[in-house]
Amino acid sequence: MSLHRLVQVVIREQMKPEEVRLWSQRVVRMMHAVFPEGRAGTWDQGEVETWGKCERYLVQALACISLLAGLEKELPEASALLLKVGRYLVRRTRLREAGSVLEQAIRLGEQYYGDKHPALIPFLVLQGERLWREGKYALAEALNERAKAIEELHPGSPYVQVGEILNNLALLAWEQGKFEQAKSLFHQSLLMQEQQGQPDPLGIASTINNLALLAWKQGKFEQAEPLFQRALQIREQILKPDHPDVAHSLYNLAVLYRDQGRYEQAEPLFQHALRLQEQVLGPEHLLLADTLINLAVLYRNQNHYEQAEPLFQRALQIREQTLGPEHHIVARSLYNLAVLYRDQGRYEQAESLFQRTLHIQRQELGPDHSTVGRSLNGLAVLYREQGKFAQAKPLFEQALHIHEQVFGLEHPEVAASLHDLAILYIKQRNDEQAELLLRRALHIREQYLDSLHPDRARSLTALVQLYRRRGQGERADMLMQQAGAIFEQPFSPDPPSM
């Protein structure tokens, strides 16, 4: 495998076709044997160590693709090797590279096994995960539905992971704002897992955790907390106290407490989760970045900017070192720093970071990705706060258009875009347009969010401000009573982290 490529070409041209075929089979089988399997769903140090081995073998594994022509129906190791490579690339969020590899893996698998064989399930599920991460929810849903149909034809197959596909479909429904559908699918997945002959408690804990996250997303904090606690309890009973999954449960609870304004409870949980991750995964592991960012948001919410900034900077450094400076996940860190600088009034630095964020996201994810919409909205808020209304308005409108295209006309992200554009109209004294947008945003939030969710209070108080300015005191007072019940609940008023 270490011969110069030109030497390889010369040797290959001197070989007979049957010799080329034989050696191609041997090379593919050898690469399949040595390329690490990877352990889906795990984030311990062993998983990190396989990444180094995967990267060392990656060039040779990709070179094997040129050897696969004509071997489709006689070499199952071919599709299996590409599945391993695709799984590694997805785990490292190298999604574009993973896409072409997994497309070929599925094609080879279909040619070898047939298009309804259960061996295709992991191929379809992994490609679905890649598309989900790229925000291509409809395509991801179609692949998971196909995997589900195959699974139903082959109950009891070793390729079937009970409840996994339902869990994936629930996550996709959630992303599209179909919260009730997501909840139903999570419960179906949980029931299937609990009723199987030998239930997997860690799989059950993961589904319970997802139900908690869904409740949290909707602002149903009282429902979310006992679910997070139950998932944590299961993990603590089975795993070591310093296992990353235990740390992740602590982290989830910390985020919940932070968003309720229970900062004194949230901070030690963030710190504890961070210590566990550093001990097990090392100080530069990619997972640490999420914890650092959300701890920084905790400090930002309390206006402790001097504590927040170094955490945001450290998270950015970890992501740049691990993924490269132009990766779309690096852009999330840039976005969070930009919001911090905007809140501090450091507008020139904030604008530069928003612009860099948008450049990376457009290059990596395309101009119509949902994260591009969020970043456009963030930049528009920056211009609005500086009184640059002419620059802000087209950005708000672009953000709204993207979110409507990605999520549909009724989704919490669409409501957020409507609300922010309405605030611009209020500042411009365009009250008629502002009222239309605020009422539409409130309608969406009433449909999808808990009655005490802080975003509903934001819509109500903006309308109160509008009506009082127009001398409509009775309408304002009525809405203020509704908002007052929400204001009695602690919550985090700041922008979300990415």
Side-chain angles (χ1 to χ4, degrees), residues 57-68:
Y57 294 131
L58 184 61
V59 173
Q60 292 94 329
L62 292 174
C64 286
I65 292 176
S66 65
L67 306 177
L68 300 179

Side-chain angles (χ1 to χ4, degrees), residues 138-310:
L139 293 173
E141 189 172 6
L143 284 178
N144 275 279
E145 288 287 2
R146 182 183 168 194
K148 181 171 175 282
I150 294 173
E151 188 178 81
E152 290 169 351
L153 293 173
H154 303 276
S157 166
Y159 296 101
V160 172
Q161 297 294 317
V162 176
E164 178 186 16
I165 295 174
L166 284 174
N167 199 70
N168 293 343
L169 288 168
L171 289 170
L172 288 163
W174 170 2
E175 292 285 6
Q176 297 172 83
K178 303 171 184 176
F179 295 141
E180 288 305 312
Q181 181 182 340
K183 183 178 179 180
S184 174
L185 288 167
F186 279 136
H187 278 295
Q188 290 178 51
S189 173
L190 185 60
L191 184 63
M192 287 180 63
Q193 293 175 76
E194 290 174 336
Q195 290 181 345
Q196 66 176 314
Q198 294 181 322
D200 172 18
L202 293 178
I204 289 171
S206 179
T207 304
I208 292 170
N209 190 73
N210 286 337
L211 274 168
L213 288 169
L214 179 62
W216 162 78
K217 179 71 173 179
Q218 295 177 272
K220 298 177 179 179
F221 300 139
E222 291 183 1
Q223 293 180 28
E225 185 172 1
L227 292 170
F228 279 135
Q229 293 281 11
R230 184 180 167 197
L232 173 61
Q233 184 180 25
I234 293 172
R235 287 169 171 170
E236 287 180 329
Q237 287 173 348
I238 296 170
L239 303 171
K240 294 180 180 179
D242 62 351
H243 193 281
D245 285 350
V246 174
H248 197 255
S249 280
L250 295 170
Y251 160 85
N252 284 334
L253 272 172
V255 172
L256 175 69
Y257 293 154
R258 182 201 66 197
D259 289 354
Q260 291 178 286
R262 296 158 65 180
Y263 298 135
E264 291 185 1
Q265 290 174 270
E267 185 176 2
L269 287 179
F270 275 129
Q271 297 284 9
H272 185 37
L274 189 61
R275 282 194 300 272
L276 291 179
Q277 290 173 331
E278 288 176 330
Q279 290 169 9
V280 177
L281 303 173
E284 303 299 323
H285 193 280
L286 193 59
L287 272 187
L288 266 71
D290 292 334
T291 308
L292 289 165
I293 286 169
N294 278 285
L295 177 57
V297 171
L298 170 75
Y299 293 137
R300 186 184 69 193
N301 290 356
Q302 300 174 85
N303 299 325
H304 297 165
Y305 300 130
E306 71 288 347
Q307 291 175 271
E309 184 172 359

Side-chain angles (χ1 to χ4, degrees), residues 331 334-343 346-362 370-400 402-403 416-417 420-421 424 495-496 498:
L334 295 171
Y335 171 90
N336 285 312
L337 265 177
V339 171
L340 178 72
Y341 293 155
R342 185 186 69 198
D343 290 352
R346 297 159 65 179
Y347 295 136
E348 288 186 12
Q349 290 172 278
E351 182 176 5
S352 175
L353 289 178
F354 276 128
Q355 295 286 9
R356 186 181 162 199
T357 298
L358 283 164
H359 172 75
I360 294 171
Q361 290 171 337
R362 284 166 170 155
S370 60
T371 57
V372 173
R374 176 171 285 187
S375 297
L376 285 168
N377 205 80
L379 180 58
V381 171
L382 172 69
Y383 290 146
R384 188 187 68 197
E385 296 306 306
Q386 297 177 84
K388 300 178 179 179
F389 300 149
Q391 291 173 264
K393 183 182 176 184
L395 298 182
F396 278 132
E397 291 172 340
Q398 288 179 53
L400 176 60
I402 289 171
H403 287 150
S417 292
D420 283 332
L421 178 55
L424 174 68
M498 292 181 69

Side-chain angles (χ1 to χ4, degrees), residues 38-53:
R39 291 175 286 175
T42 64
W43 286 97
D44 55 21
Q45 190 60 36
E47 166 75 7
V48 180
E49 289 170 359
T50 68
W51 287 2
K53 295 176 184 176

